[in-house]
Amino acid sequence: AQSVTQPDIHITVSEGASLELRCNYSYGATPYLFWYVQSPGQGLQLLLKYFSGDTLVQGIKGFEAEFKRSQSSFNLRKPSVHWSDAAEYFCAVSEQGQGFSFIFGKGTRLLVKP
Amino acid sequence: GAGVSQSPSNKVTEKGKDVELRCDPISGHTALYWYRQSLGQGLEFLIYFQGNSAPDKSGLPSDRFSAERTGGSVSTLTIQRTQQEDSAVYLCASSLAAGVYNEQFFGPGTRLTVL
């Protein structure tokens, strides 16, 4: 069965510092991978997605993620964090075949120190 | 244009009562999804609709949960005989069509509290 693990429940970084949020998935075939952000009082917003091709994908708000099949990982990165990046981040995996499902990780809450 | 809307934004109910949660998708979106976000459990995929049909209802937590969509637009998630463990934020999303290639746009959610 598919699963998504986000090992870090909370992460705190200083404004201007780099960020990496970890995501590991368990899936038999090539997964479809996503990162979403949920800011306080707002709905989920898609940051980026990976379907195939180039394993480094660029998203909105200066985020990028790298798909590493050998490590079953899809980590989210940003070179320089802004205070407005404080939010909860969710990694998700999907499959599409006989049916459709969408599995989210439990999320990582990012705190940004001034 | 307008995004996905959900109503009510907050619902407090007593254990054992039935509740209905409503989702109004983006106009023209044929696919609609329901999720549950519980504290400590993350986001749980419940069900999706392509048009008015739900191909797979196995994600619904129990037979107290049901969902319908009529006219290919508004959807209602009904929880019968609510229990305290049903307390959560229920999120709805819509996309142009069902499937991974179509971005889901999420509504603000309905926060359900069962006393």
Side-chain angles (χ1 to χ4, degrees):
Chain A
Q2 297 176 77
S3 66
V4 178
T5 303
Q6 293 181 247
D8 305 304
I9 299 174
H10 295 100
I11 280 189
T12 301
V13 299
S14 298
E15 191 168 15
S18 63
L19 170 70
E20 182 168 27
L21 301 182
R22 296 182 291 164
C23 173
N24 294 97
Y25 65 89
S26 171
Y27 187 64
T30 300
Y32 301 98
L33 296 159
F34 306 79
W35 275 99
Y36 284 84
V37 60
Q38 187 176 37
S39 299
Q42 298 188 24
L44 280 157
Q45 183 182 21
L46 179 67
L47 282 175
L48 47 78
K49 58 192 176 189
Y50 172 78
F51 292 158
S52 64
D54 193 346
T55 56
L56 184 64
V57 293
Q58 302 297 321
I60 62 171
K61 305 186 180 186
F63 285 93
E64 66 178 27
E66 187 170 11
F67 169 61
K68 292 186 177 179
R69 184 188 299 277
S70 62
Q71 298 177 19
S72 297
S73 69
F74 188 57
N75 294 348
L76 182 72
R77 300 194 295 246
K78 187 169 184 178
S80 177
V81 168
H82 188 262
W83 64 266
S84 60
D85 293 325
E88 188 150 23
Y89 292 80
F90 294 91
C91 182
V93 62
S94 184
E95 68 171 335
Q96 185 168 354
Q98 302 266 338
F100 172 80
S101 65
F102 216 81
I103 311 297
F104 281 88
K106 293 191 176 181
T108 297
R109 183 166 296 279
L110 174 65
L111 304 174
V112 180
K113 292 190 301 185
Chain B
V4 177
S5 60
Q6 294 186 245
S7 61
S9 55
N10 280 284
K11 176 72 176 178
V12 180
T13 190
E14 294 178 348
K15 178 180 171 181
K17 300 282 190 183
D18 297 351
V19 295
E20 283 190 356
L21 312 180
R22 176 188 168 108
C23 173
D24 210 329
I26 293 172
S27 177
H29 281 192
T30 64
L32 185 148
Y33 313 80
W34 282 101
Y35 296 85
R36 179 170 68 174
Q37 186 173 21
S38 308
L39 198 61
Q41 296 298 315
L43 278 149
E44 178 185 9
F45 177 64
L46 299 180
I47 191 171
Y48 81 99
F49 290 87
Q50 175 58 54
N52 291 334
S53 67
D56 182 4
K57 300 181 180 180
S58 63
L60 294 174
S62 76
D63 58 8
R64 296 185 294 104
F65 287 71
S66 62
E68 65 174 17
R69 189 182 188 197
T70 55
S73 182
V74 172
S75 175
T76 302
L77 178 69
T78 301
I79 309 173
Q80 296 178 309
R81 305 181 303 281
T82 51
Q83 304 293 313
Q84 288 183 331
E85 62 262 28
D86 299 334
S87 296
V89 176
Y90 290 83
L91 294 171
C92 174
S94 71
S95 63
L96 280 172
V100 298
Y101 297 107
N102 297 289
E103 181 178 350
Q104 296 181 43
F105 294 86
F106 284 80
T110 293
R111 181 175 297 279
L112 174 66
T113 304
V114 182
L115 301 176

